């Protein structure tokens, strides 16, 4: 038979044993304890700071880095076109050196180059205007001279603004160059060939074979610029485009002989 002291100890042990409702309320289940620990404010603050530190540098990328990582479609297209332009220009520069694949044709290409230079054109126009006996002929030569001067000014302005260097395989042995001629965009020979060909075909009465030769000459001038390595393909293409519309400007600003005489009378 247990003693009264043992009975008292057993009663105190029973009193210390928590009830099932108390166990559920206090969350003595290990799983519940872990969930409470993970949901504690301290753990939440720690995990939030860790995630912020992990994602912080990505959110603070400079704008230019983001642009490099996400380039626009227009930028990709422009870089692709420039790469194709440089590749084609390099492949077509077959007369850039004497030891190139078509180096033997280089002297002929240089003659065509001189035929499209501004100095022979301006000198030839002045000579024809001086030798012309008719007022109509002098008027045509006068406007051709003004067109050539306009071409020199416009091409020089565009070259100075764009400042595109000539191809790396070009040899600077061109005829009568100026400071702006170290730039290549646009091709002054191409603008002059397109404008001059359109001018001659419009204002001179030429037989059909001669008209074909004028067009062929203009194409050969543009082709020689690429074959000699003077220009890229886009330089020549834009030069033809620019020269074609320069003639439209010349027509809009056409100066007649009567208007020139009036102007000279006012200035005199």
């Amino acid at each position: 038979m247990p003693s009264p002291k043992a009975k008292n100890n057993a009663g105190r042990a029973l009193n210390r044993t928590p009830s099932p409702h108390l166990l559920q309320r206090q969350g003595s289940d290990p799983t519940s304890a872990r969930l409470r620990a993970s949901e504690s404010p301290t753990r939440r603050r720690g995990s939030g700071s860790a995630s912020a530190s992990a994602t912080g540098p990505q959110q603070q990328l400079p704008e230019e880095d983001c642009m490099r990582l996400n380039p626009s479609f227009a930028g990709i297209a422009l870089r692709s076109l420039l790469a194709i332009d440089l590749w084609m220009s390099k492949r077509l520069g077959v007369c850039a050196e004497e030891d190139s694949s078509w180096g033997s044709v280089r002297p002929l290409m240089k003659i065509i180059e001189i035929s499209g230079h501004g100095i022979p054109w301006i000198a030839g126009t002045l000579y024809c205007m001086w030798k012309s006996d008719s007022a109509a002929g002098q008027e045509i030569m006068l406007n051709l001279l003004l067109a050539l001067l306009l071409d020199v000014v416009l091409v020089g302005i565009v070259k100075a603004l764009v400042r595109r260097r000539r191809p790396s395989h070009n040899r600077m042995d061109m005829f009568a160059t100026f400071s702006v001629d170290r730039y290549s965009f646009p091709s002054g020979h191409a603008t002059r060939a397109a404008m001059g060909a359109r001018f001659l075909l419009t204002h001179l009465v030429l037989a059909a074979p001669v008209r074909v030769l004028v067009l062929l000459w203009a194409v050969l001038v543009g082709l020689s610029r690429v074959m000699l390595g003077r220009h890229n393909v886009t330089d020549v293409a834009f030069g033809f485009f620019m020269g074609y519309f320069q003639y439209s400007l010349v027509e809009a600003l056409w100066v007649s002989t009567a208007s020139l005489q009036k102007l000279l009378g006012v200035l005199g």
Side-chain angles (χ1 to χ4, degrees):
M1 181 174 179
S3 63
K5 185 177 180 180
K7 288 181 179 180
N8 292 334
N9 292 336
R12 283 196 297 269
L14 289 174
N15 292 334
R16 285 197 302 268
T17 303
S19 63
H21 297 286
L22 183 60
L23 287 173
Q24 184 176 4
R25 186 169 60 251
Q26 292 178 353
S28 60
D29 184 15
T31 305
S32 302
R34 285 195 298 270
L35 288 175
R36 282 201 313 274
S38 64
E39 294 174 357
S40 65
T42 306
R43 290 291 299 271
R44 284 198 296 268
R45 285 196 297 269
S47 61
S49 61
S51 60
S53 63
T55 58
Q58 296 180 1
Q59 295 174 353
Q60 297 175 2
L61 280 175
E63 184 178 356
E64 57 270 17
D65 291 344
C66 297
M67 292 175 64
R68 285 196 294 267
L69 292 174
N70 301 294
S72 63
F73 176 78
I76 294 175
L78 180 60
R79 289 185 179 89
S80 300
L81 290 176
L82 289 176
I84 294 173
D85 177 36
L86 294 176
W87 176 79
M88 289 182 60
S89 304
K90 183 71 174 178
R91 294 294 299 267
L92 293 175
V94 292
C95 300
E97 301 284 347
E98 285 81 0
D99 55 352
S100 300
S101 57
W102 286 29
S104 59
V105 191
R106 183 178 170 83
L108 177 61
M109 291 294 106
K110 293 197 70 174
I111 293 175
I112 297 175
E113 176 184 53
I114 295 174
S115 71
H117 197 278
I119 292 179
W121 271 83
I122 293 175
T125 302
L126 287 172
Y127 179 80
C128 292
M129 186 168 57
W130 177 53
K131 285 293 186 180
S132 179
D133 296 331
S134 63
Q138 291 179 349
E139 179 179 331
I140 291 175
M141 291 297 107
L142 172 64
N143 284 274
L144 179 57
L145 177 64
L146 295 177
L148 294 172
L149 296 176
L150 177 66
D151 173 72
V152 171
V153 172
L154 292 180
V155 170
I157 292 174
V158 176
K159 283 187 175 184
L161 291 176
V162 177
R163 294 176 175 268
R164 186 183 191 184
R165 294 290 179 179
R166 291 190 181 270
S168 58
H169 55 281
N170 172 52
R171 285 180 54 190
M172 290 301 292
D173 57 347
M174 295 179 291
F175 170 74
T177 58
F178 301 94
S179 60
V180 76
D181 288 327
R182 64 178 180 271
Y183 304 121
S184 69
F185 185 90
S187 169
H189 283 70
T191 59
R192 196 172 301 111
M195 183 189 66
R198 193 178 176 192
F199 190 101
L200 295 178
L201 293 176
T202 303
H203 293 284
L204 298 183
V205 180
L206 303 174
V210 179
R211 297 174 72 87
V212 172
L213 288 177
V214 170
L215 292 175
L216 181 61
W217 166 81
V219 173
L220 287 177
V221 168
L223 185 61
S224 69
R225 308 310 291 156
V226 180
M227 294 179 65
L228 288 170
R230 310 296 197 202
H231 291 278
N232 296 304
V233 175
T234 51
D235 302 336
V236 176
F238 186 84
F240 279 136
F241 178 82
M242 181 176 172
Y244 183 86
F245 285 98
Q246 275 180 187
Y247 173 77
S248 301
L249 181 61
V250 171
E251 285 290 315
L253 302 175
W254 188 269
V255 179
S256 63
T257 305
S259 299
L260 180 62
Q261 291 176 353
K262 290 180 182 178
L263 179 61
L264 293 177
V266 171
L267 295 176

